[in-house]
Amino acid sequence: MNYVSVIDLLEQAQQLVREISVQQLHRALSGENPPLLVDIRELDEWQQGTIAGAIFIPRGNLEFRIEDEAFDRDTPIALMCAGGVRSIFAAKSLQDMGYTDVVSVAGGFEGWKDAGFPIKVPQTLSAERRARYARHIIMPEVGEAGQLKLLNAKVLLIGAGGLGSPAAIYLAAAGVGTIGLVDFDVVDTSNLQRQIIHRLDAVGTPKVQSAAETIARLNPDVHVIGHQVQLTSQNALDIIQNYDIVLNGSDNFPTRYLVNDACVLLGKPLVDASIFRFDGNVTVYDTAHGSPCYRCRYPDPPPPGEVPSCAEGGVLGVLPGIIGSLQAVEAIKLIVGIGTPLVGRSLQYDALEAEFREFRVRKNPDCPVCGEHPTVTELIDYQEFCGIPHRGTVH
């Protein structure tokens, strides 16, 4: 029997695989059409440093995961290991899969460092966090990089009531690192039918405090910032500017218009939702990227008494759980940068008929706040226009 040594296999692979120097790689990465740089070292090697922009796929997972990063077989790919040996074998394997433009970086990461080119030490998850978020990390769309984005994100929830409860719980469970809560109400017995973040022993305590305690017991990674205040034109910008994304869970029009206007002025994405009886609605406004805003749909607040609140018309207890969870999904998609957010689309749910319907939301060029010639350039309080007292965020 004839045996083939590793050296023989390496020599055979070198005859079939094109190699480039670290200097060539540096020039290519700075060019107009840089290759997809894939770092195939092991986790402990990668944690010591890598090249900015490199995709981390350990050698043992390369064939299984490369299509998630480069489905097109003609994508230019540069493979890098520590010294340039493993990357040759890996390049040969990708060629066997049909990839036509694969190179191995001679000298690998060590050669890159020795040449004095810049490196970065990546932020990584601890073993405990890797275990907690394992079901996220295993998905290529999220992975460790996506989980780190969640941990670094700051999300503000307007209201710790029916919509804010499930949204806060799922965002906390997902590992969103900072969650802000705006609510000046206290927990009431009637809230417990739907506001699942609160418990019977919290009745009479501020909702912000109750929600923060629940989140702390769920995930110690999450830092909760409580804003036990009434949101007004005087404080809205100061509060909202410190967050990446805003979720509106308010059930009154003064707050709804105020939050929309503040997000437009600050360029913050707004995940907006509403519920009433058996119906719910969720959409995403991101005017910094050209989307419509709430005022594109409803330019002015309704006349006093025209639209009843949940306190007047009621709400099916499970409905805010569904809609608030959808808000959390949209926020996570925005943070990680995956999927197609509900920008320019309104998703409506009819619980009685078990039907979802989608409607397009078009940008209004004459919108008073995000249009071509805005007339609303600073915040105002809307209580006098809506003709209702500002009670907080009930739902």
Side-chain angles (χ1 to χ4, degrees):
M1 181 178 293
N2 295 324
Y3 293 96
V4 178
S5 69
V6 172
I7 299 300
D8 293 331
L9 291 174
L10 178 60
E11 291 177 348
Q12 293 173 14
Q14 284 177 316
Q15 294 175 5
L16 300 172
V17 172
R18 183 164 65 94
E19 295 183 272
I20 63 172
S21 67
V22 293
Q23 288 78 13
Q24 289 174 305
L25 175 64
H26 185 263
R27 289 194 295 271
L29 293 176
S30 304
E32 292 184 0
N33 298 300
L36 177 69
L37 177 60
V38 182
D39 189 330
I40 65 167
R41 295 175 298 157
E42 297 303 314
L43 178 62
D44 59 333
E45 298 175 288
W46 178 76
Q47 289 175 332
Q48 302 304 312
T50 188
I51 299 174
I55 303 297
F56 173 57
I57 306 179
R59 175 65 190 92
N61 297 332
L62 180 63
E63 290 81 359
F64 297 99
R65 290 178 49 190
I66 188 61
E67 289 184 340
D68 296 323
E69 303 295 341
F71 185 79
D72 185 349
R73 287 331 198 241
D74 294 326
T75 301
I77 300 174
L79 299 178
M80 180 187 69
C81 63
V85 175
R86 284 173 287 175
S87 58
I88 291 177
F89 288 115
K92 174 61 169 58
S93 180
L94 292 193
Q95 287 180 348
D96 292 341
M97 291 178 64
Y99 285 91
T100 62
D101 191 2
V102 184
V103 298
S104 171
V105 180
F109 183 69
E110 294 304 321
W112 178 275
K113 284 199 306 182
D114 291 343
F117 294 131
I119 66 171
K120 71 167 188 175
V121 177
Q123 183 184 8
T124 60
L125 297 173
S126 65
E128 181 180 356
R129 284 181 168 178
R130 200 168 289 113
R132 174 182 282 270
Y133 306 115
R135 298 303 186 274
H136 274 175
I137 297 169
I138 200 172
M139 292 191 296
E141 296 85 354
V142 181
E144 185 161 340
Q147 189 59 55
L148 288 167
K149 290 180 181 179
L150 290 169
L151 287 164
N152 291 327
K154 298 180 179 180
V155 177
L156 179 67
L157 280 72
I158 309 298
L163 292 171
S165 288
I169 286 175
Y170 273 111
L171 290 175
V176 171
T178 301
I179 293 178
L181 298 170
V182 178
D183 202 310
F184 69 96
D185 205 356
V186 298
V187 180
D188 183 80
T189 304
S190 66
N191 301 150
L192 304 181
Q193 165 251 15
R194 65 205 175 280
Q195 299 181 16
I196 59 173
I197 205 166
H198 308 300
R199 297 293 182 266
L200 186 60
D201 58 6
V203 170
T205 63
K207 287 185 179 180
V208 165
Q209 176 185 332
S210 171
E213 291 173 354
T214 299
I215 292 173
R217 290 192 294 268
L218 174 64
N219 191 350
D221 285 342
V222 180
H223 174 53
V224 177
I225 301 176
H227 303 277
Q228 192 179 339
V229 295
Q230 176 178 335
L231 199 67
T232 69
S233 62
Q234 302 301 311
N235 61 21
L237 293 177
D238 290 337
I239 293 174
I240 292 174
Q241 69 179 350
N242 297 312
Y243 295 88
D244 305 315
I245 297 172
V246 179
L247 273 64
N248 179 43
S250 168
D251 75 341
N252 66 77
F253 286 102
T255 303
R256 186 173 296 278
Y257 279 86
L258 180 65
V259 170
N260 174 80
D261 295 356
C263 286
V264 173
L265 294 176
L266 292 170
K268 303 288 185 179
L270 171 61
V271 184
D272 189 71
S274 61
I275 51 175
F276 182 68
R277 291 174 57 79
F278 301 99
D279 299 319
N281 173 81
V282 60
T283 189
V284 175
Y285 301 119
D286 188 5
T287 56
H289 295 93
S291 92
C293 76
Y294 183 75
R295 280 182 179 268
C296 289
R297 301 176 69 182
Y298 312 107
D300 299 302
E306 180 175 293
V307 181
S309 68
C310 290
E312 296 168 311
V315 60
L316 185 67
V318 71
L319 180 65
I322 297 169
I323 303 303
S325 296
L326 287 173
Q327 283 186 283
V329 170
E330 291 303 306
I332 290 171
K333 286 160 58 180
L334 290 169
I335 294 167
V336 180
I338 58 176
T340 305
L342 281 170
V343 174
R345 298 181 292 150
S346 175
L347 186 64
Q348 298 188 2
Y349 175 61
D350 182 338
L352 285 181
E353 298 299 326
E355 288 184 351
F356 281 98
R357 295 185 295 273
E358 182 180 301
F359 300 91
R360 285 288 175 183
V361 181
R362 301 189 182 279
K363 189 173 182 66
N364 179 6
D366 297 321
C367 175
V369 66
C370 78
E372 297 175 359
H373 304 287
T375 57
V376 177
T377 56
E378 60 182 19
L379 299 183
I380 61 173
D381 293 313
Y382 290 94
Q383 287 91 325
E384 59 185 282
F385 297 101
C386 297
I388 58 175
H390 194 100
R391 296 180 54 249
T393 49
V394 181
H395 267 320

